[in-house]
Amino acid sequence: DGGITQSPKYLFRKEGQNVTLSCEQNLNHDAMYWYRQDPGQGLRLIYYSQIVNDFQKGDIAEGYSVSREKKESFPLTVTSAQKNPTAFYLCASSSRGTGYGYTFGSGTRLTVV
Amino acid sequence: KQEVTQIPAALSVPEGENLVLNCSFTDSAIYNLQWFRQDPGKGLTSLLLIQSSQREQTSGRLNASLDKSSGRSTLYIAASQPGDSATYLCAVETSGSRLTFGEGTQLTVNP
């Protein structure tokens, strides 16, 4: 079945540590996205990529980094510069261009310990 | 900047009721609007996608309408069931292939 796989489901980060969240899709979608979800604030866009080897900052990119070396993969690194990383992280993909819907993964819950 | 608002923030209804969830957006220059469902601790499941040139879409007991000129969409759920309990999110796609989300409506359907 086609879809998006996020791993791990739960992740714990110590202060000052970098962690990487995985996102893999087998939908052959060109575009991929990372969103952060906090209670009462809806979803906010962190980074997005419309093609391999290219990506753009979203609304809250500070303290995060991404790469897009393969069409299927769009990992997100939460760096130590992100002061409040505890949140639910969602990855999504869509076919390139407008008029196509988005498919979301099942999310990774990151907690700072 | 596009802003999306969903009303009400929470809704509790008895099983069997028909209900309407509302979504409004400030910039009518959208490509499409998508309704999602989110269960607690889970990802988003797409329910309906309405292109900017369309007025409505239907899937089973769900019907979504779009009035682009007035910046409004509604999601109609017929004959609600306890399994419909979830948070419903509205999102609009604008230029640059970006989705802007509302904060959602938390729906509880009581048996």
Side-chain angles (χ1 to χ4, degrees):
Chain A
D1 287 338
I4 298 180
T5 301
Q6 289 188 242
S7 62
K9 188 174 178 65
Y10 299 97
L11 187 58
F12 298 91
R13 192 193 93 167
K14 294 181 180 179
E15 295 283 351
Q17 197 177 44
N18 292 352
V19 292
T20 298
L21 284 60
S22 171
C23 178
E24 304 276 335
Q25 56 101 357
N26 60 4
L27 299 166
N28 199 34
H29 284 173
D30 290 304
M32 296 187 73
Y33 309 81
W34 275 105
Y35 287 87
R36 170 179 171 143
Q37 188 175 33
D38 296 280
Q41 293 195 44
L43 277 75
R44 292 181 289 169
L45 182 63
I46 304 172
Y47 268 99
Y48 64 105
S49 167
Q50 295 183 314
I51 196 168
V52 174
N53 293 323
D54 186 47
F55 49 83
Q56 287 79 39
K57 293 181 179 180
D59 299 320
I60 55 165
E62 185 175 352
Y64 300 96
S65 66
V66 294
S67 63
R68 186 86 187 277
E69 298 176 1
K70 298 187 299 181
K71 187 175 185 178
E72 303 80 18
S73 179
F74 191 42
L76 174 74
T77 296
V78 184
T79 75
S80 57
Q82 172 49 242
K83 298 307 178 188
N84 185 22
T86 295
F88 190 51
Y89 291 86
L90 287 159
C91 179
S93 70
S94 71
S95 293
R96 192 176 184 185
T98 62
Y100 298 93
Y102 288 64
T103 301
F104 279 79
S106 57
T108 292
R109 184 164 300 278
L110 174 62
T111 304
V112 174
V113 296
Chain B
K1 180 183 175 184
Q2 178 74 268
E3 293 182 0
V4 179
T5 303
Q6 291 188 244
I7 295 173
L11 183 62
S12 181
V13 300
E15 182 176 4
E17 264 202 17
N18 301 326
L19 56 100
V20 175
L21 308 182
N22 296 291
C23 172
S24 62
F25 46 95
T26 54
D27 184 352
S28 62
I30 65 169
Y31 293 117
N32 57 53
L33 182 145
Q34 196 165 358
W35 282 94
F36 295 91
R37 168 188 172 136
Q38 185 176 32
D39 293 288
K42 306 293 185 182
L44 275 62
T45 300
S46 179
L47 298 174
L48 290 165
L49 170 70
I50 311 177
Q51 306 287 359
S52 62
S53 59
Q54 297 176 320
R55 297 284 292 182
E56 66 177 342
Q57 282 286 335
T58 298
S59 176
R61 295 182 293 109
L62 304 180
N63 176 276
S65 67
L66 173 64
D67 184 343
K68 203 172 84 160
S69 60
S70 67
R72 295 173 189 269
S73 176
T74 61
L75 178 66
Y76 175 83
I77 302 177
S80 59
Q81 303 170 358
D84 294 331
S85 297
T87 296
Y88 291 80
L89 294 161
C90 165
V92 295
E93 183 178 9
T94 53
S95 61
S97 298
R98 297 179 57 140
L99 271 186
T100 302
F101 283 85
E103 294 186 5
T105 294
Q106 186 173 356
L107 173 66
T108 302
V109 181
N110 302 299

